[in-house]
Amino acid sequence: AKEPFEVLVVGGGPAGAAAAIYAARKGIRTGIAAERFGGQVLDTMSIENFISVQHTEGPKLAAHLEQHVKDYDVDIMNHQRAAKLVPARHEGGLHEVVLESGAS
């Protein structure tokens, strides 16, 4: 069995991708749980307000985000929704995120 994630990012849009990359860069075992990686960006055809990118299309941006995240060995779990947060049993312990699929 795999070790639990030290950080589980819930949400796979640009903010979730950035959070996962920054955590993984620090050597933290990181995962992303998302209904669909890319989030609402996938539904946006014309993007003109993303910092440092004058113009792009949502699916193209999502593909670049996903590749960047995968460069850091982050596990991406698609078709997942967080159902419950179970607090750590003791101070300094890991919290548990229970997904609607029953995985945790």
Side-chain angles (χ1 to χ4, degrees), residues 36 38-47 58-59 62:
R36 58 187 185 142
Q40 293 178 353
V41 165
L42 292 170
D43 300 328
T44 307
M45 285 302 111
S46 181
I47 297 174

Side-chain angles (χ1 to χ4, degrees), residues 67-88:
Q67 184 55 56
H68 196 172
V69 167
K70 286 181 176 180
D71 287 345
Y72 288 94
D73 198 30
V74 172
D75 287 338
I76 298 173
M77 297 172 287
N78 276 304
H79 311 291
Q80 299 293 332
R81 292 184 66 164
K84 181 168 71 169
L85 175 65
V86 180

